[in-house]
Amino acid sequence: MRLWKTILAAAVLSLAAATSAFAARTDLTLGIVLEPPHLDPTAGAAAAIGEITYANVFEGLTRIDDNGQVQPGLAESWAVSDDGKVYTFKLRSGVKFHDGSAFSADDVKFSLDRARAKDSLNPQKPLFAHITDVTAVDPATVKITLDGPQGDFLYDMGQVAAVIVGKASADGNKDKPIGTGPFKLDHWAKGSEITLVKNPDYWGTPAALDKATFRIVPDAAAAVPALLSGDIQAFANMPAQDALAQVQSDPRFSVVIGSTEGETILSINNKKPPFDKLAVRQALASAIDRSAIIAAASNGLGKPIGSHFSPGDAGYVDLTGVYPHDIAKAKAYLKEAGLENGFSATIKLPPVPYARDGGQVIQSQLKDIGVNLQIIPVEWAEWLSQVFTNKDYDLTIVSHVEPNDIDIYSRPRYYFQYDNPKFNDVIKELGTTVDKDKRLELLGEAQKILAHDVPAVYLFELPKIGVWDAKLQGMWTNWPIEADDLTKVKWAD
Amino acid sequence: MTAYLLKRLIIAALTLVLASIVVFAVMEILPGDPARLMLGLNASADQVEVLRNQMGLNAPLIPRYLHWAGGLLSLDFGRSYTYSVPVIDLVRERIAVSLPLALIALALSTIIAIPVGVFSASRQGRAGDTLAMGAAQLGVAVPNFWFALILIYVFAVWLRLVPAGGFPGWSAGIWPALKSLILPAVALALPQAAILGRVARSALIEVLNEDYIRTARAKGLPYRAVLWRHALRNAMIPVLTILGLQFAFLLAGTIIIENVFYLPGLGRLIFQAITQRDLIVVESIVMLLVAAVILINLIVDFSYAIVDPRLRGRQ
Amino acid sequence: MTMRVDLPEETIAGVLAKAFGNRSFLIGLIITSAVVAVALLSFLWTPYDVTRLVIADRTQAPSPAHWFGTDHFGRDILSMIMVGARNSIAVALVAVGIGMGIGVPLGAFAAARGGMADEALMRVNDLVFAFPALLSAVMITAIFGPGAVNAIIAIGIFNIPVFARVARAGALAIWPREFILAARAAGKGMTRISIEHILPNIATLLLVQGTIQFALGILAEAGLSYVGLGAQPPMPSWGRMLFDAQTRMVTAPWMAIFPGMAIVITVLGLNLLGDGIADILDPKSRRRR
C-alpha cells in the first residue's frame, strides 16, 4: 500500500514536471539600447519611454498598429461631425487603471486638458494645439471640438504622447506608471532592466506573456554576445548591424527587416552661406552616392529616399532620381554658384551609428568635388542646443522619426531655416483637408517641392532590424511609431 | 601628533571645498540644456523654460552652488534630473555593483600577484623570473577593454560559461550575480596584477638584501620560511600602498569596462549622466569619489605617521 | 658648469657597453624605434590612402592585397595602423611634454623653497589626484568637444602632478648634498642651482618616469578614443579602430586583433625601454610601477 502510494506520487510528480517542461515559455527578455529617463510618455521625449510603455502599459483613445493604421483603443468607436470639427468617442466599459481605479470620460478630459494646458510639459504639445474643448458627456462618451477639420486627428490621438493617464496617478507616472494596458510595471533596476508583468484585470484579450523584461544594452558590442548566449531573446531594433550576417546564418534566430518613419537626412542650414544658394545644395545632392551611404551606415538595409517621406506610406512618390549621383554635374553646380574651387564646412554628428558612419562616407564623397568637411561629433544635448535650438551648424545628419512630419519644413524658426511660401501653402492646405485623394495629391506636391529645392539631402529610410528567437511570434515588423507592442507576443510551443 | 592630525584634517576639508567649486564650475560650462534634452524636438521654447524653472536651472549661480554644497554637508545629494529620484538612491544601487566588482578584482589581482612576486624574487635573474616578469610586462601593456572583448568572445560566446554582460541584481541570487562579475573582474585584475606583481618582486628583493634577513638565514632558518615569514611581511608596506591606490582607481575608473559589460555601476552612471546632462548626479557623485580618495589618502598618511614619527615633521 | 655627481666614474663608453648588454633595453629600443620608424614612414608612404573610403571593399579578410584586411569602410587596416601610430605617438609625446614642462619646474621649485609653497603645491597635487583621471578626461572632452588636441590636454593635465612629485622627491634628496652646499656658498641663487645642479641629477629619474608616462599616455589615448573622445575621423587612431571593431569581433576579427596588437607591442616596447634605462643608469633603482 505504501509502495503504491509512493509510486503514484512519483508518477504524478513526473507528469507535472513533464507538462511544465512542454508548456510554452511565458517570459521574455528584450534588449533596448537606451534606458528611458522615466516612464511617463506624456512628460518626456525620449523614444525609449514609448518603446516600453506604449500599448503595454499605457493606451490612448485610438491605437496605431504595426502597419501604421488607426485602430480602436480605449475608444471602441467614434463619430465625426459633418464639418469635421467635432469628434465624439464612445469609450470602452469595464476598464480599470493598474491602481484599481475605474477609467472614465473624466480621465480622457483630464489627460487631454493637461497635455494642452499652458504649463504643459507634453513633448508633442503641437498635437493638441487644435483642440478647443473636451467635454465628458457621460462616463462613456467624450466630445472633442477642434478649431477646424484635422486630417490626422485620429492618428494623432493614437500617438505615444496622447495616451490616457489617471487623474489621481498622473503625477507619479514617471516612477510608477499607472495605465490601463495589459502589462504593469513590476520593477525597475535603474541602469539595468525594467520588468513588466501581466495585468490580470485587463479589459481586453489578456497578454500571452506573464513577464517581459527590457534589459538595457547600451553597447552595440555587447548586443551580439548577449543574443548569442541566450541572455536576451529579442531586439526590436538591433544595434549591431554589422554582425547581422552572423545572426542571420544562425537558425536559432529570425531576422525581420521592417520599415520605420525615420527619414535619415543630411540637414542643411539653408540660411547660412554658401548653402543659401540653390546650386550649392544641388551640388551636394549630386555629389552624394546614396547606395554607398546605405551600405556603410545601415548595412545596405535602408531604403533610398528622394524626399522627406516614408516609402511605406500612402502617397509616396519615388523622387530618388531627381539628382542622380554625378560628380561632373555636381562640379558644374558648384561652378554655377561661383565656387568651382570648392569650400570648407563643418558637419555635426550626433552619437548614433547612422550619423557617425554616414558622416564619414559623406566626408569622403564630398572631397571629390572639393568640399572639405570637418567632422564635429556632438552629444545629443549639444546637438539640441547648438544645432536644433541655436541653428549654429552647417550640416548635420539626423533621422526624423516622427510619423507624418513633412510639415516641419514649413515651421517657422525650425533648424533647417528653410522658408518657401509655396511649400508653406501646400502644407497649410493639407492640414485642413480631410478628403483622402486630395490629401495624397497635396502630399505628392510637397514631396516634389522638397526633392527639387534640396532643403536637405535625403539619404534613406531607417530600417527596423528585428532580431529575435525563431520561436517567438507576434513581434512588430514595422515601426510606424517606436513601440514594442507585446500584446500579441507569445512563444510557439 | 594632535596638531598634525588637525592640520591634515583642515587641509582635507579645504581640498574638498576647492574640489566642489571646480566640479560645479565645470558642470556649469558644459554645453547643452538638460531641459531641452528631456522635452525633445517638438517642445516649444516656452515649455523648455517652464521645465528649466521647475528644475531650478534658472536660479542665479552662487545661490545654486550654495544650495547644492549646503545639501552635501547635510548629506543631501539632491535629485536626479533624469530619473527624478534622490541621487543617493542611485548611488546605493550602483555601489552594490561597483564595490563588489572592485573588491573581487582587487582580490584576484592580489591572489595572482603575490605568489608571482615571491616566485620571481626568489629566482631573481633566472629563467623563471624572466618569464614571469615578461608576462607581467605584457599584462601592463594590454588595454583592458581589448582584453575584455577577447574574454567575452571566448568565455561567453564560445564556451557559454558566463553571461556576456549585464547584471541580474543581487536579488537574483548570489551566484548569478557573482557570475556576471567574473569576466569584468578578470579584465580589470590582469593589468593590476601585473603592476602589483612587479612591485611585490622589487619590494621583496630589497628586503631580501637587508641585514636581518641575512642574519636569519645565517641562523639556519630555511629559505622558504625566511621568504614567506620574514621577508614578505616586511615587503607588504609598498604592496599595500599600491593596493590602496588601485582600490581607489577601481572604484571609479572602471567606466570603460562597465560599458563593455553593460554593468550598472558608478562609472557608467556618471558617464551616462554626463551625456544626459544630469548635472546634479555628476556633481554629487564626483564629490563622493573625491571624498573617498581624500579619505584613503588621509588614512594612509596617518598610518605612516603612526609607524614613523619622523614623518610628522615633514610632508 | 653642470656636474653629474651621481655617476662620477661612469664613462659614456661604459654606459653604452652596459646598454648593449641589457636585454630589456635592447628589445625595448628595437620595438620603439620600429614603431617610430613606421609612424615616420606613414608621412611618406602607406599602402593605401586612409582617408579614402572604398565601400565595395568593406570588411575583407587579410589577403596579399590587404595584409591586415580592411575595415567596415573598406580602408586598409595596415595603412590605418601606420597612420594611427603617428597619432598615438604625437598625443602621448605632447602629453608627456606638458607634464614635464609644467610639472618639473613646479616640483623643483617646491623642493627648493619648501614651506608654504611646497605645502600648497602638494595639496593641489592631491586635488588633481583625487579626481578619477578617466572621468576628468571625459569631462574635459565633454566641455571642449572630443578631438586629438583635447585628448592631449586631458592626458597632459594628469601628467603634471606625476612629474611634479617625481621632480620634488628627487630634488629633495639632492639639496642636502655637499656639492649643493658648496654652490650655495659660492653665492649661486636658488633658480641657478636648480637648473645647473638639481636638474641634471634628477634627469635619470625623469627619463624613466617619462617612458612610463609615455606608455600610459598611449594606453590612455586608446581608452579615450575607444569611448569616442579621442582623435576624430578621418584621422585613424588605434583606440577608435578597436571601437569600430567591437561589434564585428566575430565577423571581422582582424579589425580588432591588429590594432590591439599594435597597442600592446608599442606599450611593451616603451616599458621595456624604461626598465632598461633605469637599470643601466642606476642599477639600484627599482621602479615602483
Side-chain angles (χ1 to χ4, degrees):
Chain A
M1 198 57 200
R2 284 278 294 276
L3 185 68
W4 274 112
K5 256 188 183 165
T6 316
I7 290 171
L8 201 65
V12 167
L13 266 177
S14 61
L15 200 66
T19 26
S20 70
F22 282 111
R25 265 180 93 162
T26 56
D27 68 307
L28 175 66
T29 304
L30 297 102
I32 51 168
V33 177
L34 292 174
E35 177 170 33
H38 55 77
L39 292 171
D40 184 353
T42 67
I49 302 174
E51 218 189 301
I52 293 171
T53 60
Y54 186 77
N56 298 329
V57 178
F58 290 107
E59 298 171 304
L61 286 176
T62 60
R63 67 190 289 169
I64 312 297
D65 69 12
D66 95 320
N67 293 315
Q69 299 303 311
V70 177
Q71 305 290 350
L74 287 172
E76 58 183 28
S77 63
W78 50 81
V80 190
S81 66
D82 291 338
D83 62 357
K85 283 186 177 175
V86 182
Y87 284 74
T88 309
F89 290 94
K90 171 100 176 54
L91 305 179
R92 287 186 202 275
S93 55
V95 178
K96 272 187 179 149
F97 282 100
H98 298 157
D99 61 358
S101 60
F103 158 83
S104 78
D106 286 338
D107 296 302
V108 177
K109 178 173 167 53
F110 167 78
S111 298
L112 296 180
D113 284 347
R114 175 171 172 261
R116 65 196 186 97
K118 198 158 164 282
D119 60 349
S120 154
L121 290 175
N122 192 297
Q124 309 290 346
K125 200 176 169 188
L127 293 183
F128 312 96
H130 297 284
I131 299 178
T132 54
D133 180 65
V134 183
T135 311
V137 180
D138 60 60
T141 313
V142 172
K143 199 172 80 187
I144 300 177
T145 312
L146 308 176
D147 60 5
Q150 283 300 311
D152 284 332
F153 185 69
L154 287 172
Y155 190 96
D156 287 349
M157 287 303 101
Q159 293 216 39
V160 174
V163 296
I164 303 303
V165 297
K167 211 169 178 173
S169 50
D171 289 338
N173 278 344
K174 283 185 170 182
D175 221 21
K176 291 189 187 59
I178 302 294
T180 54
F183 291 95
K184 52 186 183 180
L185 179 74
D186 182 50
H187 73 274
W188 179 359
K190 300 257 157 53
S192 183
E193 58 187 33
I194 294 170
T195 303
L196 306 181
V197 290
K198 189 185 204 155
N199 169 18
D201 304 322
Y202 185 55
W203 57 267
T205 318
L209 295 174
D210 285 335
K211 191 173 127 184
T213 302
F214 291 85
R215 183 163 304 155
I216 296 128
V217 186
D219 210 49
V224 184
L227 197 66
L228 293 181
S229 64
D231 295 349
I232 284 170
Q233 298 103 40
F235 273 99
N237 194 14
M238 176 98 178
Q241 306 179 344
D242 256 38
L244 204 63
Q246 175 198 352
V247 181
Q248 241 159 351
S249 64
D250 192 327
R252 288 181 293 156
F253 302 105
S254 305
V255 176
V256 181
I257 311 294
S259 64
T260 67
E261 290 289 323
E263 287 86 22
T264 310
I265 62 175
L266 173 69
S267 305
I268 300 172
N269 192 341
N270 283 267
K271 282 225 171 83
K272 189 158 178 193
F275 303 108
D276 52 344
K277 291 199 184 90
L278 174 63
V280 172
R281 304 199 300 266
Q282 287 171 320
L284 294 186
S286 305
I288 278 168
D289 175 9
R290 286 194 191 91
S291 60
I293 296 169
I294 291 170
S298 80
N299 209 30
L301 297 170
K303 289 201 184 82
I305 51 171
S307 186
H308 198 98
F309 209 78
S310 171
D313 288 358
Y316 171 74
V317 183
D318 185 352
L319 294 161
T320 49
V322 173
Y323 296 104
H325 177 55
D326 186 340
I327 299 290
K329 198 81 180 281
K331 281 182 175 160
Y333 279 129
L334 273 189
K335 199 165 177 194
E336 188 189 324
L339 288 163
E340 58 266 46
N341 296 324
F343 59 92
S344 294
T346 60
I347 180 165
K348 291 191 170 168
L349 301 177
V352 275
Y354 66 75
R356 295 274 167 96
D357 287 348
Q360 284 196 63
V361 180
I362 287 174
Q363 181 186 45
S364 165
Q365 289 176 351
L366 291 188
K367 221 173 93 181
D368 292 341
I369 59 162
V371 175
N372 288 310
L373 289 188
Q374 188 204 341
I375 289 179
I376 303 175
V378 290
E379 291 298 334
W380 277 121
E382 291 164 284
W383 188 89
L384 282 167
S385 64
Q386 292 174 8
V387 177
F388 192 77
T389 310
N390 298 331
K391 290 117 188 157
D392 172 19
Y393 79 107
D394 296 341
L395 301 170
T396 185
I397 299 179
V398 73
S399 206
H400 283 264
V401 294
E402 277 80 26
N404 308 330
D405 60 350
I406 196 167
D407 69 294
I408 52 179
Y409 294 85
S410 71
R411 286 190 199 165
R413 296 187 304 277
Y414 206 67
Y415 79 109
F416 304 129
Q417 309 235 66
Y418 177 66
D419 187 15
N420 181 346
K422 206 173 120 213
F423 180 81
N424 296 350
D425 289 345
V426 173
I427 294 300
K428 212 167 166 192
E429 197 184 338
L430 181 71
T432 52
T433 306
V434 185
D435 177 66
K436 226 170 191 168
D437 292 338
K438 180 71 185 156
R439 282 182 65 81
L440 296 186
E441 189 193 318
L442 288 167
L443 281 171
E445 204 173 317
Q447 289 173 58
K448 280 175 202 150
I449 294 174
L450 295 182
H452 286 92
D453 219 15
V454 211
V457 181
Y458 301 97
L459 305 174
F460 60 91
E461 197 71 18
L462 213 60
K464 172 181 176 299
I465 302 166
V467 177
W468 45 80
D469 194 298
K471 290 202 281 292
L472 200 64
Q473 299 172 336
M475 293 282 293
W476 274 20
T477 302
N478 302 315
W479 253 3
I481 51 174
E482 284 184 58
D484 297 343
D485 180 343
L486 300 175
T487 47
K488 294 193 178 67
V489 173
K490 62 173 187 202
W491 289 95
D493 296 333
Chain B
M1 187 73 186
T2 329
Y4 172 74
L5 279 177
L6 207 65
K7 193 177 137 210
R8 298 291 323 196
L9 278 176
I10 290 170
I11 289 168
L14 279 176
T15 316
L16 273 177
V17 172
L18 216 58
S20 73
I21 293 172
V22 171
V23 171
F24 192 80
V26 165
M27 287 295 108
E28 275 309 305
I29 52 178
L30 208 59
D33 179 353
R36 169 55 82 177
L37 189 64
M38 291 178 80
L39 290 176
L41 299 186
N42 285 339
S44 65
D46 298 346
Q47 283 181 281
V48 175
E49 270 315 290
V50 170
L51 187 59
R52 281 185 65 85
N53 278 327
Q54 272 186 19
M55 291 161 91
L57 284 169
N58 284 340
L61 196 64
I62 294 179
R64 212 139 41 82
Y65 169 75
L66 290 178
H67 180 77
W68 168 68
L72 286 186
L73 283 182
S74 56
L75 294 181
D76 168 14
F77 295 92
R79 277 178 93 81
S80 157
Y81 296 157
T82 320
Y83 290 126
S84 38
V85 295
V87 175
I88 196 71
D89 290 355
L90 290 175
V91 172
R92 206 175 292 133
E93 284 169 13
R94 301 305 177 100
I95 205 123
V97 180
S98 288
L99 191 64
L101 178 61
L103 288 173
I104 297 171
L106 209 63
L108 266 178
S109 133
T110 316
I111 291 168
I112 302 167
I114 302 297
V116 170
V118 172
F119 170 84
S120 261
S122 63
R123 283 175 183 70
Q124 198 189 343
R126 282 193 269 161
D129 176 31
T130 313
L131 205 69
M133 284 304 108
Q137 284 283 17
L138 206 60
V140 179
V142 173
N144 60 11
F145 51 91
W146 188 60
F147 185 52
L149 284 178
I150 292 169
L151 286 179
I152 290 180
Y153 276 90
V154 174
F155 292 99
V157 177
W158 289 345
L159 302 178
R160 296 207 189 188
L161 291 176
V162 282
F167 186 72
W170 292 104
S171 55
I174 300 279
W175 176 233
L178 273 181
K179 225 164 93 173
S180 63
L181 292 180
I182 292 175
L183 285 192
V186 171
L188 283 171
L190 175 88
Q192 307 298 332
I195 293 168
L196 200 63
R198 289 164 55 110
V199 171
R201 173 184 176 267
S202 47
L204 261 175
I205 289 175
E206 227 153 84
V207 173
L208 285 172
N209 287 332
E210 301 273 344
D211 288 341
Y212 66 89
I213 297 289
R214 293 199 194 132
T215 317
R217 289 276 285 143
K219 278 201 301 194
L221 278 173
Y223 183 67
R224 216 162 260 277
V226 174
L227 190 67
W228 286 99
R229 210 170 299 152
H230 296 83
L232 189 59
R233 191 188 301 158
N234 285 294
M236 268 342 255
I237 292 167
V239 171
L240 286 176
T241 311
I242 294 289
L243 269 180
L245 285 174
Q246 291 189 340
F247 183 60
F249 162 79
L250 284 173
L251 208 52
T254 58
I255 297 180
I256 295 180
I257 290 295
E258 284 179 7
N259 263 318
V260 174
F261 290 95
Y262 58 103
L263 292 174
L266 268 188
R268 216 182 91 209
L269 177 63
I270 302 177
F271 195 66
Q272 189 187 319
I274 290 176
T275 59
Q276 293 178 335
R277 299 297 183 267
D278 198 344
L279 308 182
I280 194 98
V281 170
V282 183
E283 289 163 356
S284 294
I285 297 184
V286 169
M287 280 315 292
L288 270 180
L289 289 173
V290 168
V293 173
I294 289 175
L295 191 71
I296 292 175
N297 281 346
L298 265 185
I299 294 171
V300 170
D301 278 357
F302 286 163
S303 45
Y304 282 166
I306 292 162
V307 174
D308 187 352
R310 278 174 305 171
L311 284 174
R312 273 173 241 158
R314 291 202 54 82
Q315 296 252 325
Chain C
M1 269 307 294
T2 55
M3 296 159 67
R4 317 210 81 202
V5 193
D6 251 1
L7 315 161
E9 67 275 50
E10 300 248 23
T11 60
I12 301 281
V15 173
L16 276 180
K18 256 176 151 182
F20 284 98
N22 185 298
R23 217 171 4 183
S24 283
F25 178 79
L26 271 184
I27 300 174
L29 188 68
I30 292 168
I31 295 177
T32 309
S33 321
V35 173
V36 172
V38 164
L40 290 177
L41 176 65
S42 75
F43 280 103
L44 302 172
W45 175 83
T46 51
Y48 292 85
D49 178 1
V50 293
T51 60
R52 176 126 221 114
L53 315 187
V54 190
I55 303 300
D57 290 349
R58 51 205 304 257
T59 48
Q60 289 190 354
S63 66
H66 298 280
W67 286 11
F68 291 177
T70 63
D71 76 348
H72 58 304
F73 289 137
R75 290 174 296 188
D76 180 55
I77 303 259
L78 174 61
S79 307
M80 290 180 78
I81 288 180
M82 289 174 70
V83 180
R86 217 150 88 187
N87 173 64
S88 284
I89 292 175
V91 169
L93 203 62
V94 180
V96 169
I98 292 174
M100 273 201 185
I102 301 175
V104 172
L106 280 178
F109 175 76
R113 283 295 289 274
M116 280 300 284
D118 189 19
E119 184 68 35
L121 179 85
M122 292 326 285
R123 286 324 119 218
V124 174
N125 251 348
D126 285 350
L127 181 66
V128 179
F129 270 126
F131 286 94
L134 182 65
L135 199 64
S136 313
V138 170
M139 289 206 278
I140 288 171
T141 45
I143 295 171
F144 299 110
V149 175
N150 296 325
I152 290 173
I153 295 172
I155 300 169
I157 286 178
F158 286 90
N159 277 335
I160 296 173
V162 174
F163 283 103
R165 268 195 185 182
V166 172
R168 175 180 172 274
L172 278 178
I174 312 271
W175 272 99
R177 297 275 193 93
E178 274 166 28
F179 66 96
I180 301 286
L181 292 177
R184 289 172 83 165
K188 287 189 185 175
M190 191 194 81
T191 319
R192 233 181 115 189
I193 295 179
S194 289
I195 294 171
E196 289 180 5
H197 302 286
I198 305 287
L199 216 52
N201 280 298
I202 59 172
T204 319
L205 277 178
L206 295 177
L207 187 63
V208 171
Q209 195 64 45
T211 56
I212 298 173
Q213 294 309 119
F214 197 130
L216 288 177
I218 284 180
L219 280 176
E221 195 277 336
L224 280 181
S225 296
Y226 184 77
V227 287
L229 301 175
Q232 292 305 317
M235 181 72 184
S237 93
W238 293 346
R240 165 167 287 277
M241 290 171 78
L242 284 180
F243 170 78
D244 288 333
Q246 64 178 6
T247 53
R248 306 169 171 99
M249 277 290 284
V250 175
T251 46
W254 55 89
M255 280 179 67
I257 289 169
F258 295 111
M261 277 168 56
I263 297 173
V264 172
I265 289 172
T266 307
V267 174
L268 188 65
L270 282 167
N271 280 339
L272 288 173
L273 189 67
D275 270 10
I277 295 174
D279 281 350
I280 295 160
L281 295 181
D282 186 5
K284 276 203 316 203
S285 89
R286 302 271 169 228
R287 294 210 295 154
R288 295 274 148 181
R289 303 190 62 138

